[in-house]
Amino acid sequence: MPSIDLRQAALIVIDLQPDFMPGGALACHKGDAIVPAIDALLRARRFGHVVATQDWHPAGHISFASSHPGRAPFEQIDLHGQPQTLWPDHCVQGTPGAALHPAVDWSSVDVTIRKGGDPRVDSYSAFQENHGPGGTRPPTGLAGWLRERSVEAVYLCGLARDVCVLWSAQDAARLGFRTHVLWDLCRPVTPAGDAPTQAALAREGIALADPAALFD
């Protein structure tokens, strides 16, 4: 594979928010462990373009278990013809848990994509919402933003490795971007998600990249 000029590539930091940290509303396994390294990567300014995503739900979002009487977090239901995991209430708009992590210097970020704002539809990927009532996955606008800047390669990190990072990587690859996951700069909801995530990435030819190599 030819080398990639990082000045023409984009770093996409997925949902690095307090609600996904240990002690948060929807804690990812050791989610706090990646915060210092992602902060260092952003401060290094190796990438020509930097994107952050932010889970940004209205209160009473359809993906919250509390919106479905008698249901518990992590149960699955059918929603718009697709399987939907019910989550604890998390990343409610305007709450401290929905903010971008305060221990990170976000000054290098060019654009922040807020997702999950439609109360009827969940939204994992940085590129497209989940399936909605019409059976489609509306775009977030990120793909167009990247193409306007002639970005052909993307590198993803953040939370959660087995949900939003995975969906974002799959969509990026399907949309034609050369896609890399900075595996060590991601964490799963639970470690049980890692093996299926690796298998899914491998099936779609998505590369796992070593963050240390970005500093060479």
Side-chain angles (χ1 to χ4, degrees):
M1 179 180 292
S3 62
I4 295 173
D5 182 353
L6 295 182
R7 293 171 297 180
Q8 299 300 318
L11 175 67
I12 305 176
V13 184
I14 304 290
D15 298 356
L16 203 65
Q17 297 166 263
D19 268 354
F20 296 124
M21 300 292 146
L26 179 48
C28 295
H29 179 70
K30 297 182 178 179
D32 55 340
I34 62 176
V35 172
I38 291 177
D39 178 55
L41 184 56
L42 290 175
R43 289 177 185 272
R45 298 180 182 268
R46 298 300 304 272
F47 288 86
H49 309 277
V50 180
V51 178
T53 72
Q54 193 173 9
D55 225 23
W56 195 250
H57 296 302
H61 193 267
I62 200 165
S63 70
F64 296 166
S66 62
S67 298
H68 302 267
R71 296 287 190 170
F74 305 106
E75 288 188 23
Q76 278 206 342
I77 63 168
D78 182 275
L79 180 64
H80 311 311
Q82 302 290 327
Q84 169 68 49
T85 299
L86 297 178
W87 305 106
D89 291 26
H90 66 282
C91 295
V92 174
Q93 295 175 6
T95 64
L100 294 176
H101 199 289
V104 173
D105 179 358
W106 296 100
S107 62
S108 65
V109 170
D110 300 300
V111 64
T112 300
I113 301 293
R114 285 179 167 173
K115 54 192 183 66
D118 185 335
R120 306 165 301 164
V121 183
D122 211 353
S123 189
Y124 297 158
S125 171
F127 292 91
Q128 294 175 274
E129 296 178 359
N130 295 11
H131 287 87
T136 62
R137 296 185 59 208
T140 65
L142 177 57
W145 187 92
L146 293 171
R147 287 176 178 141
E148 287 172 0
R149 289 154 181 81
S150 301
V151 172
E152 296 181 354
V154 296
Y155 290 74
L156 295 99
C157 61
L159 303 168
R161 185 155 59 199
D162 48 343
V163 186
C164 295
V165 174
L166 172 61
W167 281 52
S168 297
Q170 290 174 318
D171 282 345
R174 291 165 187 167
L175 288 164
F177 296 98
R178 294 171 61 185
T179 305
H180 310 76
V181 172
L182 297 168
W183 185 264
D184 291 342
L185 297 187
C186 306
R187 290 294 183 274
V189 177
T190 68
D194 276 346
T197 297
Q198 286 183 317
L201 295 173
R203 281 196 300 271
E204 301 198 33
I206 296 169
L208 302 184
D210 179 5
L214 301 176
F215 293 91
D216 292 343

